[in-house]
Amino acid sequence: MNLKEAFAALDAAPHWRRRAPYLDEWRRLGYHSGKLTGELIAERVRERPDVPIIFGSRERPSRTTAAELLQQSYGVAAALHRLGLREGDVLVSQMPNWREGSLTLLAALHLGLVFVPMVHIYGPAEMAFIINTVGAKALVVPDRWKKIDYGARIAALGDVPTLEQVIVAGSEPMPGDITRWDDLDRTDADLPSLRAKPDDPWLIMFTSGTTSVPKGVVHTHHSFAAEVPLFPTEPSPTGSMKLLPLPAGHSAGVIAALRPLLAGDACLMMDAWDEQLAIELIKRHRPDRAGGVPVIISFLLHHADELFPHGLVQMSVGAASVPSALMERAEKLGCPATRTYGSTEHPTISGAFPEDPFEKRATTDGGLLPGVRVRLVDDDGRTVGTDVPGEIVSIGPELFKGYLDPAHNEAAFAQDGWFHTGDIGQLDAEGYLRIVDRKKDIIIRGGENISSKEVEDTLVLHPGIAEAAVVAWPDPRMGERVGAFVRLKESATLTIDDVAAHFRAAGIARQKTPERLVIVDDFPRTPAGKILKTELRERVRSLAAQEKDPA
């Protein structure tokens, strides 16, 4: 099935047809603008042209404004059009958070291209899989970034018959017929009018390795443009900016790239997390807000006295399990922390604000975003009550259109078109949502369900533990036992007996106490910073096999 056929199948899919009443409601309430994303960006930038955008990078640092970036992007669009790219063609980008990366995204919007950002951990095999899955006509990459040699990646792509253009930022030698970014003919030209409608796809993101085969997540102009203004962070009242060390290729990275353009919010982005560079950038630009995964927020809090002597307006934490101890630490340092919850498919379902009560910010993932609705269901699909755990089923103006593969959609959507997130949550009487676990992360020990998140939250309260991840450990008698992977703080030591004593002191049920302990230097992670439990489970299988047959 080619991309045109896949999009037609999405238009005809039952889950999409059943969303029609909601689409009408979201347009009526203004969550959906009725405009293409490029048109919406042009309008917003005219209103706030001088919003600063800073690309923090060792290799390619840059500073610009929303208006300047938008103006330059029309020239890049003209250059891509001269190379033969036309509306509906697919452009894959593996650019970091550089000016060139944002220009590529904007140029794709101007031409009506389908934009496919790709995370940098994907090597030649994953790149070729995605290029061939979407039938990409163009690929945009740097010549080298960090330790990645893109010349070697391109040479190893193999058979990618639809790929006609490879555009490279940089001057290092590259294999094959490529076009250098600096050689693009960006002379002004009249760009063609677009035939696309706001509910048509323009963005495909592939899930970043938490499943065996990446799934193509299809977003429309309406869905992703709705996400940015609804994201629960208001532009700074002081006129300062937000530090966003978020990975390009991930949904959070695309949100960050669009945020200064669609929400008028000054942003300081980073192409990769670099502790020393972050310190330099913060001291130079003095952001008054920050966002990131717990490991980044923890570092910023450790240096809060030096970097944020007057505190912060907001520190948003997401993309991973967030221990309440981290939230308490931020509060004491005058950096009110807020949690968010979402996914590539539904980028932000809930989020908290600094003015929310601390108890809610520390123990929940916030209230539902405007227009978002959820219901929590049991294994039989029945809605559960307040404060009762259930799978989160969601719908909202920023929900994706569906997966490229129709087979994935059959399992992902309920009969009424709502999306099965696969996450277990509780909704309290005030409407705050708390994520309890992933369905697949529930450990069934002797018939009892144990929340891995609850165990993780208890583990990180131990003074010697910096970070923890809990997975099921196969056991012939109990079915599964609780297995813990932990990263220790500097100079700390830990034994399984220490863990047991810690859980006894915390008053946690014996069944929830980890019975297997693995100490690691660091965890395998997605580009967004999430711990890859799929890889931990693979390691558990190997270790469990060794236990069974030590020879």
Side-chain angles (χ1 to χ4, degrees), residues 420-477:
H420 283 279
T421 66
D423 292 321
I424 308 300
Q426 293 177 216
L427 199 62
D428 68 19
E430 291 78 36
Y432 288 87
L433 182 66
R434 183 170 75 88
I435 308 309
V436 177
D437 219 324
R438 288 283 300 176
K439 266 191 168 182
K440 63 185 177 184
D441 282 350
I442 287 178
I443 300 163
I444 306 176
R445 184 189 187 278
E448 292 186 20
N449 288 356
I450 297 171
S451 163
S452 63
K453 185 176 185 300
E454 181 183 359
V455 180
E456 288 163 357
D457 285 350
T458 304
L459 280 167
V460 296
L461 294 175
H462 188 284
I465 295 177
E467 198 172 12
V470 169
V471 294
W473 199 288
D475 184 85
R477 188 168 71 88

Short mmCIF file of all heavy atoms in Angstrom, two decimals, residues 420-477:
data_model
loop_
_atom_site.label_atom_id
_atom_site.label_comp_id
_atom_site.label_asym_id
_atom_site.label_seq_id
_atom_site.Cartn_x
_atom_site.Cartn_y
_atom_site.Cartn_z
N HIS A 420 -7.30 4.01 22.47
CA HIS A 420 -6.80 3.24 23.59
C HIS A 420 -5.32 3.56 23.79
O HIS A 420 -4.48 3.17 23.00
CB HIS A 420 -6.97 1.74 23.33
CG HIS A 420 -8.37 1.24 23.53
ND1 HIS A 420 -8.87 0.94 24.77
CD2 HIS A 420 -9.37 1.00 22.64
CE1 HIS A 420 -10.13 0.52 24.65
NE2 HIS A 420 -10.45 0.56 23.37
N THR A 421 -5.00 4.27 24.87
CA THR A 421 -3.61 4.70 25.09
C THR A 421 -2.71 3.56 25.56
O THR A 421 -1.49 3.62 25.39
CB THR A 421 -3.54 5.81 26.16
OG1 THR A 421 -3.94 5.27 27.42
CG2 THR A 421 -4.43 6.98 25.78
N GLY A 422 -3.30 2.53 26.18
CA GLY A 422 -2.47 1.48 26.77
C GLY A 422 -1.92 1.86 28.13
O GLY A 422 -1.18 1.07 28.73
N ASP A 423 -2.27 3.03 28.63
CA ASP A 423 -1.80 3.48 29.94
C ASP A 423 -2.90 3.28 30.98
O ASP A 423 -4.09 3.43 30.67
CB ASP A 423 -1.39 4.96 29.91
CG ASP A 423 -0.16 5.19 29.06
OD1 ASP A 423 0.75 4.35 29.11
OD2 ASP A 423 -0.12 6.21 28.35
N ILE A 424 -2.48 2.98 32.20
CA ILE A 424 -3.43 2.81 33.30
C ILE A 424 -3.39 4.08 34.15
O ILE A 424 -2.32 4.56 34.54
CB ILE A 424 -3.07 1.60 34.18
CG1 ILE A 424 -2.90 0.35 33.31
CG2 ILE A 424 -4.13 1.39 35.25
CD1 ILE A 424 -4.13 -0.04 32.54
N GLY A 425 -4.57 4.64 34.43
CA GLY A 425 -4.63 5.88 35.20
C GLY A 425 -5.78 5.90 36.17
O GLY A 425 -6.63 5.00 36.17
N GLN A 426 -5.79 6.94 36.99
CA GLN A 426 -6.91 7.21 37.89
C GLN A 426 -7.30 8.67 37.74
O GLN A 426 -6.44 9.54 37.60
CB GLN A 426 -6.52 6.96 39.35
CG GLN A 426 -6.25 5.52 39.69
CD GLN A 426 -5.78 5.32 41.12
OE1 GLN A 426 -4.95 4.47 41.38
NE2 GLN A 426 -6.30 6.12 42.04
N LEU A 427 -8.58 8.92 37.75
CA LEU A 427 -9.11 10.28 37.63
C LEU A 427 -9.79 10.62 38.95
O LEU A 427 -10.68 9.91 39.40
CB LEU A 427 -10.11 10.36 36.48
CG LEU A 427 -10.45 11.72 35.90
CD1 LEU A 427 -9.22 12.38 35.30
CD2 LEU A 427 -11.53 11.60 34.83
N ASP A 428 -9.31 11.71 39.61
CA ASP A 428 -9.90 12.04 40.91
C ASP A 428 -11.14 12.92 40.75
O ASP A 428 -11.51 13.32 39.64
CB ASP A 428 -8.86 12.66 41.84
CG ASP A 428 -8.40 14.04 41.41
OD1 ASP A 428 -9.10 14.72 40.63
OD2 ASP A 428 -7.33 14.48 41.89
N ALA A 429 -11.77 13.22 41.87
CA ALA A 429 -13.03 13.96 41.85
C ALA A 429 -12.87 15.37 41.30
O ALA A 429 -13.83 15.96 40.79
CB ALA A 429 -13.61 14.01 43.26
N GLU A 430 -11.66 15.94 41.41
CA GLU A 430 -11.41 17.29 40.89
C GLU A 430 -11.01 17.29 39.43
O GLU A 430 -10.74 18.35 38.85
CB GLU A 430 -10.32 17.98 41.71
CG GLU A 430 -10.72 18.35 43.13
CD GLU A 430 -10.70 17.15 44.06
OE1 GLU A 430 -9.82 16.29 43.89
OE2 GLU A 430 -11.58 17.07 44.93
N GLY A 431 -10.93 16.11 38.80
CA GLY A 431 -10.60 16.03 37.38
C GLY A 431 -9.13 15.95 37.09
O GLY A 431 -8.72 16.11 35.94
N TYR A 432 -8.30 15.67 38.08
CA TYR A 432 -6.87 15.49 37.86
C TYR A 432 -6.57 14.03 37.53
O TYR A 432 -7.11 13.12 38.17
CB TYR A 432 -6.07 15.92 39.09
CG TYR A 432 -6.04 17.42 39.31
CD1 TYR A 432 -7.05 18.05 40.03
CD2 TYR A 432 -5.01 18.19 38.80
CE1 TYR A 432 -7.04 19.43 40.24
CE2 TYR A 432 -4.98 19.56 39.00
CZ TYR A 432 -5.99 20.17 39.72
OH TYR A 432 -5.96 21.53 39.91
N LEU A 433 -5.70 13.84 36.56
CA LEU A 433 -5.37 12.50 36.08
C LEU A 433 -4.03 12.06 36.64
O LEU A 433 -3.06 12.83 36.63
CB LEU A 433 -5.32 12.52 34.55
CG LEU A 433 -5.04 11.20 33.83
CD1 LEU A 433 -6.20 10.22 34.04
CD2 LEU A 433 -4.84 11.45 32.33
N ARG A 434 -3.96 10.84 37.11
CA ARG A 434 -2.69 10.29 37.60
C ARG A 434 -2.40 9.00 36.86
O ARG A 434 -3.23 8.10 36.81
CB ARG A 434 -2.76 10.00 39.11
CG ARG A 434 -1.44 9.50 39.68
CD ARG A 434 -1.47 9.45 41.19
NE ARG A 434 -2.26 8.34 41.68
CZ ARG A 434 -1.79 7.11 41.91
NH1 ARG A 434 -0.52 6.84 41.67
NH2 ARG A 434 -2.57 6.16 42.38
N ILE A 435 -1.21 8.93 36.26
CA ILE A 435 -0.81 7.73 35.54
C ILE A 435 -0.30 6.71 36.55
O ILE A 435 0.61 6.99 37.33
CB ILE A 435 0.27 8.04 34.49
CG1 ILE A 435 -0.17 9.20 33.60
CG2 ILE A 435 0.58 6.80 33.66
CD1 ILE A 435 -1.54 9.05 33.00
N VAL A 436 -0.88 5.54 36.52
CA VAL A 436 -0.51 4.47 37.44
C VAL A 436 0.51 3.55 36.81
O VAL A 436 1.49 3.16 37.43
CB VAL A 436 -1.75 3.67 37.88
CG1 VAL A 436 -1.36 2.53 38.79
CG2 VAL A 436 -2.75 4.60 38.57
N ASP A 437 0.30 3.19 35.54
CA ASP A 437 1.20 2.23 34.91
C ASP A 437 0.86 2.08 33.44
O ASP A 437 -0.16 2.57 32.96
CB ASP A 437 1.06 0.86 35.58
CG ASP A 437 2.39 0.15 35.72
OD1 ASP A 437 3.22 0.28 34.82
OD2 ASP A 437 2.59 -0.53 36.75
N ARG A 438 1.77 1.40 32.76
CA ARG A 438 1.45 0.89 31.43
C ARG A 438 0.86 -0.51 31.63
O ARG A 438 1.26 -1.24 32.52
CB ARG A 438 2.73 0.76 30.59
CG ARG A 438 3.31 2.07 30.12
CD ARG A 438 2.55 2.64 28.96
NE ARG A 438 2.55 1.76 27.81
CZ ARG A 438 1.88 2.03 26.68
NH1 ARG A 438 1.18 3.13 26.59
NH2 ARG A 438 1.91 1.20 25.66
N LYS A 439 -0.08 -0.89 30.79
CA LYS A 439 -0.65 -2.22 30.89
C LYS A 439 0.44 -3.29 30.90
O LYS A 439 0.43 -4.21 31.69
CB LYS A 439 -1.62 -2.48 29.73
CG LYS A 439 -3.07 -2.17 30.06
CD LYS A 439 -3.97 -2.69 28.96
CE LYS A 439 -5.42 -2.67 29.41
NZ LYS A 439 -6.33 -3.21 28.39
N LYS A 440 1.38 -3.13 29.99
CA LYS A 440 2.42 -4.16 29.88
C LYS A 440 3.43 -4.07 31.02
O LYS A 440 4.27 -4.94 31.17
CB LYS A 440 3.14 -4.03 28.54
CG LYS A 440 3.90 -2.72 28.34
CD LYS A 440 4.48 -2.65 26.95
CE LYS A 440 5.17 -1.33 26.70
NZ LYS A 440 5.66 -1.19 25.33
N ASP A 441 3.38 -3.01 31.83
CA ASP A 441 4.30 -2.87 32.95
C ASP A 441 3.71 -3.38 34.26
O ASP A 441 4.35 -3.29 35.30
CB ASP A 441 4.72 -1.41 33.13
CG ASP A 441 5.76 -0.98 32.11
OD1 ASP A 441 6.29 -1.85 31.41
OD2 ASP A 441 6.02 0.21 32.04
N ILE A 442 2.51 -3.88 34.22
CA ILE A 442 1.93 -4.45 35.42
C ILE A 442 2.55 -5.83 35.66
O ILE A 442 2.63 -6.65 34.75
CB ILE A 442 0.40 -4.55 35.31
CG1 ILE A 442 -0.21 -3.15 35.42
CG2 ILE A 442 -0.18 -5.47 36.37
CD1 ILE A 442 -1.70 -3.12 35.28
N ILE A 443 3.01 -6.04 36.88
CA ILE A 443 3.62 -7.31 37.25
C ILE A 443 2.56 -8.15 37.95
O ILE A 443 1.89 -7.68 38.88
CB ILE A 443 4.82 -7.08 38.18
CG1 ILE A 443 5.87 -6.22 37.45
CG2 ILE A 443 5.42 -8.40 38.66
CD1 ILE A 443 6.89 -5.59 38.37
N ILE A 444 2.36 -9.36 37.48
CA ILE A 444 1.35 -10.24 38.07
C ILE A 444 2.08 -11.30 38.88
O ILE A 444 2.60 -12.28 38.35
CB ILE A 444 0.45 -10.87 36.99
CG1 ILE A 444 -0.16 -9.77 36.11
CG2 ILE A 444 -0.63 -11.73 37.62
CD1 ILE A 444 -0.98 -10.30 34.95
N ARG A 445 2.13 -11.07 40.18
CA ARG A 445 2.87 -11.96 41.10
C ARG A 445 1.87 -12.80 41.88
O ARG A 445 1.12 -12.29 42.70
CB ARG A 445 3.72 -11.12 42.05
CG ARG A 445 4.60 -11.93 42.99
CD ARG A 445 5.23 -11.02 44.04
NE ARG A 445 6.20 -11.73 44.86
CZ ARG A 445 5.89 -12.48 45.91
NH1 ARG A 445 4.61 -12.65 46.25
NH2 ARG A 445 6.84 -13.07 46.62
N GLY A 446 1.86 -14.08 41.56
CA GLY A 446 0.94 -14.96 42.27
C GLY A 446 -0.51 -14.55 42.11
O GLY A 446 -1.31 -14.69 43.04
N GLY A 447 -0.85 -13.99 40.95
CA GLY A 447 -2.22 -13.56 40.69
C GLY A 447 -2.53 -12.16 41.14
O GLY A 447 -3.63 -11.66 40.89
N GLU A 448 -1.59 -11.49 41.81
CA GLU A 448 -1.80 -10.11 42.27
C GLU A 448 -1.16 -9.13 41.31
O GLU A 448 0.01 -9.30 40.92
CB GLU A 448 -1.21 -9.92 43.67
CG GLU A 448 -1.95 -10.68 44.76
CD GLU A 448 -1.43 -10.34 46.14
OE1 GLU A 448 -0.80 -9.27 46.28
OE2 GLU A 448 -1.66 -11.12 47.06
N ASN A 449 -1.89 -8.09 40.91
CA ASN A 449 -1.35 -7.05 40.04
C ASN A 449 -0.53 -6.07 40.87
O ASN A 449 -1.01 -5.52 41.87
CB ASN A 449 -2.48 -6.29 39.33
CG ASN A 449 -3.13 -7.13 38.26
OD1 ASN A 449 -2.70 -8.25 37.98
ND2 ASN A 449 -4.18 -6.60 37.66
N ILE A 450 0.71 -5.82 40.43
CA ILE A 450 1.60 -4.89 41.12
C ILE A 450 2.00 -3.80 40.14
O ILE A 450 2.46 -4.08 39.03
CB ILE A 450 2.86 -5.62 41.64
CG1 ILE A 450 2.45 -6.66 42.69
CG2 ILE A 450 3.85 -4.62 42.24
CD1 ILE A 450 3.59 -7.56 43.11
N SER A 451 1.83 -2.55 40.55
CA SER A 451 2.16 -1.41 39.70
C SER A 451 3.68 -1.18 39.73
O SER A 451 4.25 -0.91 40.78
CB SER A 451 1.44 -0.15 40.19
OG SER A 451 2.03 1.01 39.64
N SER A 452 4.32 -1.27 38.58
CA SER A 452 5.76 -1.01 38.53
C SER A 452 6.07 0.43 38.92
O SER A 452 7.09 0.72 39.54
CB SER A 452 6.31 -1.31 37.14
OG SER A 452 5.73 -0.46 36.18
N LYS A 453 5.17 1.37 38.58
CA LYS A 453 5.42 2.77 38.92
C LYS A 453 5.42 2.98 40.43
O LYS A 453 6.23 3.75 40.95
CB LYS A 453 4.37 3.68 38.27
CG LYS A 453 4.65 5.17 38.48
CD LYS A 453 3.65 6.04 37.75
CE LYS A 453 4.03 7.51 37.88
NZ LYS A 453 4.07 7.98 39.29
N GLU A 454 4.52 2.30 41.12
CA GLU A 454 4.49 2.44 42.58
C GLU A 454 5.80 1.96 43.19
O GLU A 454 6.35 2.59 44.10
CB GLU A 454 3.32 1.65 43.15
CG GLU A 454 3.20 1.77 44.67
CD GLU A 454 2.07 0.93 45.23
OE1 GLU A 454 1.37 0.27 44.44
OE2 GLU A 454 1.90 0.91 46.46
N VAL A 455 6.31 0.84 42.69
CA VAL A 455 7.57 0.30 43.19
C VAL A 455 8.72 1.26 42.87
O VAL A 455 9.59 1.53 43.70
CB VAL A 455 7.84 -1.10 42.62
CG1 VAL A 455 9.17 -1.65 43.15
CG2 VAL A 455 6.71 -2.05 42.98
N GLU A 456 8.71 1.81 41.64
CA GLU A 456 9.75 2.76 41.24
C GLU A 456 9.73 4.00 42.12
O GLU A 456 10.79 4.50 42.53
CB GLU A 456 9.56 3.14 39.77
CG GLU A 456 9.91 2.03 38.79
CD GLU A 456 9.34 2.26 37.40
OE1 GLU A 456 8.62 3.25 37.21
OE2 GLU A 456 9.61 1.44 36.51
N ASP A 457 8.55 4.51 42.41
CA ASP A 457 8.43 5.71 43.25
C ASP A 457 8.99 5.45 44.64
O ASP A 457 9.56 6.36 45.27
CB ASP A 457 6.97 6.15 43.34
CG ASP A 457 6.49 6.82 42.07
OD1 ASP A 457 7.32 7.12 41.19
OD2 ASP A 457 5.26 7.05 41.96
N THR A 458 8.82 4.24 45.15
CA THR A 458 9.37 3.91 46.47
C THR A 458 10.88 3.74 46.41
O THR A 458 11.61 4.19 47.30
CB THR A 458 8.71 2.62 47.01
OG1 THR A 458 7.30 2.80 47.04
CG2 THR A 458 9.21 2.30 48.41
N LEU A 459 11.36 3.12 45.35
CA LEU A 459 12.80 2.91 45.21
C LEU A 459 13.57 4.22 45.21
O LEU A 459 14.61 4.35 45.87
CB LEU A 459 13.10 2.12 43.93
CG LEU A 459 12.91 0.61 43.99
CD1 LEU A 459 12.93 0.03 42.58
CD2 LEU A 459 13.98 -0.05 44.85
N VAL A 460 13.08 5.23 44.46
CA VAL A 460 13.85 6.46 44.32
C VAL A 460 13.84 7.30 45.60
O VAL A 460 14.57 8.30 45.68
CB VAL A 460 13.36 7.31 43.12
CG1 VAL A 460 13.59 6.58 41.82
CG2 VAL A 460 11.90 7.71 43.28
N LEU A 461 13.06 6.90 46.58
CA LEU A 461 13.12 7.57 47.88
C LEU A 461 14.31 7.09 48.71
O LEU A 461 14.64 7.70 49.72
CB LEU A 461 11.81 7.34 48.66
CG LEU A 461 10.55 7.99 48.05
CD1 LEU A 461 9.33 7.58 48.86
CD2 LEU A 461 10.68 9.50 48.01
N HIS A 462 14.93 5.99 48.29
CA HIS A 462 16.13 5.51 48.98
C HIS A 462 17.26 6.51 48.75
O HIS A 462 17.48 6.96 47.62
CB HIS A 462 16.52 4.12 48.46
CG HIS A 462 17.63 3.47 49.24
ND1 HIS A 462 18.94 3.85 49.11
CD2 HIS A 462 17.60 2.49 50.17
CE1 HIS A 462 19.69 3.12 49.92
NE2 HIS A 462 18.91 2.27 50.57
N PRO A 463 17.99 6.89 49.78
CA PRO A 463 19.02 7.93 49.62
C PRO A 463 20.15 7.58 48.67
O PRO A 463 20.84 8.47 48.18
CB PRO A 463 19.55 8.12 51.05
CG PRO A 463 19.17 6.87 51.78
CD PRO A 463 17.89 6.42 51.17
N GLY A 464 20.34 6.29 48.36
CA GLY A 464 21.42 5.91 47.47
C GLY A 464 21.02 5.70 46.03
O GLY A 464 21.88 5.46 45.17
N ILE A 465 19.71 5.82 45.72
CA ILE A 465 19.22 5.51 44.37
C ILE A 465 18.91 6.80 43.62
O ILE A 465 18.14 7.63 44.08
CB ILE A 465 17.97 4.61 44.44
CG1 ILE A 465 18.34 3.25 45.05
CG2 ILE A 465 17.37 4.42 43.05
CD1 ILE A 465 17.16 2.32 45.23
N ALA A 466 19.52 6.93 42.44
CA ALA A 466 19.27 8.10 41.59
C ALA A 466 18.10 7.88 40.65
O ALA A 466 17.34 8.81 40.37
CB ALA A 466 20.53 8.43 40.78
N GLU A 467 17.93 6.66 40.16
CA GLU A 467 16.90 6.39 39.16
C GLU A 467 16.61 4.89 39.19
O GLU A 467 17.49 4.08 39.45
CB GLU A 467 17.39 6.81 37.78
CG GLU A 467 16.33 6.99 36.73
CD GLU A 467 16.87 7.60 35.45
OE1 GLU A 467 18.11 7.67 35.29
OE2 GLU A 467 16.06 7.99 34.60
N ALA A 468 15.35 4.52 38.91
CA ALA A 468 14.97 3.11 38.98
C ALA A 468 13.96 2.78 37.90
O ALA A 468 13.16 3.62 37.48
CB ALA A 468 14.38 2.80 40.36
N ALA A 469 14.02 1.54 37.45
CA ALA A 469 13.03 1.01 36.51
C ALA A 469 12.69 -0.41 36.94
O ALA A 469 13.59 -1.20 37.23
CB ALA A 469 13.57 1.02 35.09
N VAL A 470 11.42 -0.72 36.99
CA VAL A 470 10.95 -2.00 37.50
C VAL A 470 10.24 -2.77 36.40
O VAL A 470 9.40 -2.20 35.68
CB VAL A 470 10.01 -1.78 38.71
CG1 VAL A 470 9.29 -3.05 39.10
CG2 VAL A 470 10.82 -1.24 39.90
N VAL A 471 10.58 -4.04 36.26
CA VAL A 471 9.96 -4.90 35.25
C VAL A 471 9.66 -6.26 35.88
O VAL A 471 10.18 -6.60 36.94
CB VAL A 471 10.87 -5.08 34.02
CG1 VAL A 471 11.05 -3.77 33.28
CG2 VAL A 471 12.22 -5.66 34.42
N ALA A 472 8.83 -7.03 35.19
CA ALA A 472 8.50 -8.38 35.65
C ALA A 472 9.68 -9.31 35.43
O ALA A 472 10.34 -9.27 34.38
CB ALA A 472 7.28 -8.89 34.91
N TRP A 473 9.94 -10.15 36.43
CA TRP A 473 11.01 -11.15 36.35
C TRP A 473 10.36 -12.53 36.34
O TRP A 473 9.67 -12.90 37.29
CB TRP A 473 11.94 -11.01 37.56
CG TRP A 473 13.28 -11.64 37.38
CD1 TRP A 473 13.56 -12.97 37.35
CD2 TRP A 473 14.53 -10.97 37.21
NE1 TRP A 473 14.90 -13.18 37.17
CE2 TRP A 473 15.53 -11.96 37.09
CE3 TRP A 473 14.90 -9.63 37.17
CZ2 TRP A 473 16.87 -11.66 36.91
CZ3 TRP A 473 16.24 -9.32 36.99
CH2 TRP A 473 17.21 -10.31 36.87
N PRO A 474 10.51 -13.30 35.28
CA PRO A 474 9.84 -14.60 35.19
C PRO A 474 10.18 -15.50 36.38
O PRO A 474 11.33 -15.55 36.83
CB PRO A 474 10.38 -15.19 33.89
CG PRO A 474 10.88 -14.03 33.11
CD PRO A 474 11.36 -13.04 34.11
N ASP A 475 9.17 -16.20 36.88
CA ASP A 475 9.37 -17.08 38.03
C ASP A 475 8.47 -18.29 37.88
O ASP A 475 7.25 -18.14 37.66
CB ASP A 475 9.05 -16.34 39.33
CG ASP A 475 9.33 -17.18 40.56
OD1 ASP A 475 10.49 -17.19 41.00
OD2 ASP A 475 8.38 -17.82 41.07
N PRO A 476 9.03 -19.50 37.99
CA PRO A 476 8.22 -20.70 37.76
C PRO A 476 7.13 -20.91 38.80
O PRO A 476 6.11 -21.55 38.52
CB PRO A 476 9.26 -21.83 37.79
CG PRO A 476 10.42 -21.29 38.56
CD PRO A 476 10.43 -19.83 38.25
N ARG A 477 7.30 -20.38 40.01
CA ARG A 477 6.31 -20.61 41.07
C ARG A 477 5.27 -19.51 41.13
O ARG A 477 4.06 -19.75 41.17
CB ARG A 477 7.01 -20.75 42.42
CG ARG A 477 6.07 -21.17 43.55
CD ARG A 477 6.87 -21.58 44.79
NE ARG A 477 7.48 -20.43 45.43
CZ ARG A 477 6.87 -19.69 46.36
NH1 ARG A 477 5.64 -19.97 46.73
NH2 ARG A 477 7.49 -18.68 46.93
#
